[in-house]
Amino acid sequence: DGMNILFIVVDDLRPVLGCYGDKLVKSPNIDQLASQSIVFSNAYAQQALCAPSRVSFLTGRRPDTTRLYDFYSYWRVHAGNYSTMPQYFKENGYVTLSVGKVFHPGVSSNHSDDYPYSWSIPPFHPSAEKYENDKTCRGKDGKLYANLVCPVDVTEMPEGTLPDIQSTEEAIRLLNVMKANKQKFFLAVGYHKPHIPLRYPQEFLKLYPLENIPLAPDPWVPEKLPPVAYNPWTDIRQRDDVEALNVSFPYGPLPEEFQRQIRQSYYAAVSYLDVQVGLLLNALDNVGLSNNTMVVFTADHGWSLGEHGEWAKYSNFDVATRVPLMFYVPGMTTSSVSQGMTVFPYLDPFSHAVGSVPQGQSKKVVELVSLFPTLAELAGLQVPPACPEPSFHVALCTEGTSIVHYFSASEGKVQEGKEGRCGDTTRCFKEEPAALSQYPRPADTPQWDSDKPKLKDIRIMGYSVRTIDYRYTVWVQFNPKNFSANFEDVHARELYMMETDPNQDYNIYNNTSHGW
């Protein structure tokens, strides 16, 4: 009870981490966190787009309840005055702090990251963030470009730094302030990388020689993929280096050499992120708070790296919706930690070769919308009640379910618990857990705005259910004026069986006799 919370959320990070079995990546610090944590290997976002996903997990409501599928509305005005996870902690005596990208900035968080509702002091944004899309990438000709692939010399950057470096420095400063003031805190730290542009310190390229970088295992557009399901990766086409390749819209494949370069830079950006996480966790040790601070590490959604001939997020596939999710809870996921003990020594990815294995691992299918009730339960607060149907008028409720009852039933070193056990604060789970994701489209075929349609242009919604055995997606008619989906008007369906098709390449919906 009364534990501090360090909540780390990463932009566009799919689980390419050593602790998730990736053999190529160098992520020693995140792996070290995993070695002290319960790691969920089947965690899913509710929409593979920054603002809708973040508003969903920060309010504990699904996109159909926040009514945010794009970037252009604020839920308190547009849907309902829903309490957020940090707001709930603030109302329960915590100092709540936001560093970097936690809420998506702009209209969807009222141009204030939902301050003062969610945060005790105004959120911190790194000053170098404003240069993210500027021409800061040096080309082979020596000129500067706004590229997708953008390893840089940090000393040449505006202000001589990068946004995530600044966020780490500010988060460390705040940890020291909280320690000095002896204040109970909820500190959210949002890292930008590996979000595009893939702009990171160039030395990280040395970890990933291009000849070691494989292509995606399935770099083609699947034969039976309904056109409505495809995302045409418009945002990367607008970067100078991709534009110069003159790739045909919407399916034209990128040259293989360039595919490898994107994958190489994504991995390099992940190792750069790992260093930031390592410095932050080491600071938690240094201020003597590792024994009474729980650490949550996750991402807002994944990112396709050429799978299905797709790049970016904007889809319902696992590569876009699956995220890393781990919880370090001293005394629960690890034996009790005494004050001043070193739990997170900083590990240099350039010299530290061996990854650590998770302390405990759960293969249970879970959703990010469950973060709010889970953290409330872990902190010893009253778990927000389940939302009624509809819940637009209810300020405090959740459409997720606390997953704390899975912690002791992990398939790792911890003992397997009884199936379907009911906790006092959770609804009984006798049925197989499932994750629900969704994605809007403006039309049945790929358009220039298929990746990010504005609300008024949405005509179809793809609802996707992921269980341990399958992913089933149904694309239905959607009316943006009254936010209604018409399941009588089905435009397409997809069904992938995980055992035989883990990469979701073979849509067998039309080959099966089904009672969906």
Side-chain angles (χ1 to χ4, degrees):
D1 281 3
M3 229 180 248
N4 303 311
I5 294 169
L6 174 58
F7 181 79
I8 303 170
V9 57
V10 184
D11 224 346
D12 293 24
L13 177 67
R14 61 192 258 168
V16 290
L17 299 165
C19 53
Y20 277 83
D22 191 288
K23 301 283 189 279
L24 188 64
V25 76
K26 307 276 191 302
S27 55
N29 293 287
I30 298 168
D31 297 346
Q32 177 173 253
L33 172 63
S35 76
Q36 306 289 323
S37 301
I38 172 92
V39 175
F40 285 87
S41 52
N42 280 302
Y44 296 89
Q46 275 46 78
Q47 190 182 326
L49 186 63
C50 305
S53 174
R54 288 162 185 265
V55 168
S56 170
F57 70 67
L58 288 163
T59 60
R61 319 275 183 125
R62 300 180 187 280
D64 280 350
T65 306
T66 66
R67 293 186 159 174
L68 181 70
Y69 313 108
D70 57 15
F71 303 92
Y72 308 108
S73 67
Y74 179 42
W75 77 90
R76 292 187 193 274
V77 172
H78 187 68
N81 188 25
Y82 311 146
S83 294
T84 68
M85 174 163 61
Q87 177 182 354
Y88 190 58
F89 278 90
K90 182 169 164 245
E91 288 165 357
N92 278 280
Y94 284 72
V95 177
T96 55
L97 307 159
S98 174
V99 171
K101 185 175 172 183
V102 180
F103 279 101
H104 190 86
V107 178
S108 63
S109 56
N110 204 31
H111 299 284
S112 65
D113 296 270
D114 198 45
Y115 175 79
Y117 296 101
S118 286
W119 311 108
S120 304
I121 60 173
F124 170 87
H125 283 280
S127 58
E129 199 181 304
K130 58 182 169 288
Y131 312 112
E132 270 295 277
N133 295 308
D134 289 5
K135 296 189 178 220
T136 56
C137 321
R138 203 166 288 290
K140 290 190 175 120
D141 57 6
K143 293 182 186 158
L144 291 175
Y145 294 91
N147 285 344
L148 169 64
V149 173
C150 187
V152 296
D153 177 344
V154 177
T155 61
E156 288 181 3
M157 289 301 98
E159 301 182 34
T161 188
L162 291 172
D164 287 342
I165 295 171
Q166 291 183 303
S167 291
T168 302
E169 289 164 353
E170 175 64 9
I172 291 171
R173 187 188 75 79
L174 288 170
L175 285 176
N176 281 285
V177 171
M178 290 298 105
K179 171 71 174 179
N181 295 352
K182 297 189 168 57
Q183 287 174 297
K184 192 165 62 168
F185 62 83
F186 177 107
L187 170 58
V189 182
Y191 285 115
H192 282 262
K193 293 304 119 181
H195 192 288
I196 65 170
L198 298 168
R199 192 169 77 110
Y200 55 87
Q202 60 197 17
E203 56 270 24
F204 287 93
L205 271 178
K206 292 184 196 135
L207 294 171
Y208 303 102
L210 200 57
E211 60 270 20
N212 295 353
I213 306 295
L215 294 174
D218 52 350
W220 58 84
V221 179
E223 191 188 334
K224 293 188 177 175
L225 182 70
V228 69
Y230 184 77
N231 75 278
W233 35 280
T234 314
D235 57 351
I236 79 163
R237 293 171 191 273
Q238 292 158 352
R239 309 282 160 170
D240 292 347
D241 49 354
V242 180
E243 202 170 19
L245 297 169
N246 209 12
V247 177
S248 68
F249 183 89
Y251 298 113
L254 289 169
E256 286 192 1
E257 179 75 0
F258 194 72
Q259 291 190 37
R260 288 182 208 278
Q261 286 174 19
I262 298 176
R263 290 170 67 88
Q264 174 192 40
S265 273
Y266 187 91
Y267 274 83
V270 171
S271 291
Y272 159 59
L273 160 76
D274 184 77
V275 165
Q276 303 311 313
V277 172
L279 293 168
L280 177 58
L281 293 174
N282 187 235
L284 194 66
D285 269 356
N286 292 343
V287 294
L289 292 173
S290 301
N291 64 313
N292 66 345
T293 303
M294 68 175 95
V295 181
V296 185
F297 179 89
T298 193
D300 55 357
H301 43 69
W303 212 78
S304 304
L305 285 166
E307 296 85 3
H308 315 115
E310 294 178 309
W311 302 88
K313 47 245 185 185
Y314 318 126
S315 83
N316 281 321
F317 285 120
D318 276 21
V319 280
T321 55
R322 185 170 166 245
V323 293
L325 178 63
M326 60 189 81
F327 299 84
Y328 161 77
V329 188
M332 185 177 188
T333 63
T334 63
S335 49
S336 60
V337 179
S338 50
Q339 188 161 10
M341 212 169 128
T342 302
V343 185
F344 303 116
Y346 172 73
L347 303 174
D348 183 349
F350 290 92
S351 57
H352 191 88
V354 186
S356 333
V357 295
Q359 165 67 23
Q361 200 158 15
S362 176
K363 295 194 174 91
K364 291 289 184 194
V365 172
V366 297
E367 305 176 286
L368 289 187
V369 75
S370 294
L371 277 170
F372 187 169
T374 301
L375 286 188
E377 182 173 348
L378 287 171
L381 303 180
Q382 192 167 354
V383 177
C387 287
E389 188 69 50
S391 65
F392 298 108
H393 58 292
V394 182
L396 180 67
C397 69
T398 177
E399 292 176 340
T401 311
S402 172
I403 59 173
V404 174
H405 59 296
Y406 291 152
F407 281 36
S408 59
S410 77
E411 291 90 19
K413 299 172 191 167
V414 192
Q415 286 296 303
E416 182 69 64
K418 289 194 181 71
E419 285 300 308
R421 191 190 111 199
C422 293
D424 297 338
T425 51
T426 57
R427 282 171 289 168
C428 195
F429 256 97
K430 288 207 163 51
E431 72 280 6
E432 181 63 34
L436 184 65
S437 303
Q438 62 191 99
Y439 212 86
R441 294 283 188 236
D444 283 302
T445 54
Q447 310 294 312
W448 279 100
D449 64 342
S450 285
D451 292 350
K452 295 185 275 193
K454 291 185 171 164
L455 174 64
K456 67 179 175 54
D457 298 321
I458 296 170
R459 295 292 174 272
I460 302 164
M461 189 68 75
Y463 289 95
S464 194
V465 179
R466 175 69 155 85
T467 71
I468 203 76
D469 297 317
Y470 64 83
R471 178 175 286 288
Y472 171 64
T473 306
V474 57
W475 298 88
V476 299
Q477 186 266 337
F478 185 83
N479 182 343
K481 291 192 174 67
N482 62 6
F483 302 93
S484 66
N486 179 5
F487 284 84
E488 304 294 301
D489 184 356
V490 175
H491 289 234
R493 301 182 203 248
E494 300 167 78
L495 178 62
Y496 305 98
M497 303 312 291
M498 302 316 301
E499 192 178 356
T500 51
D501 183 23
N503 297 329
Q504 300 164 11
D505 293 319
Y506 303 100
N507 176 15
I508 62 162
Y509 181 79
N510 286 337
N511 327 4
T512 49
S513 55
H514 27 63
W516 298 98

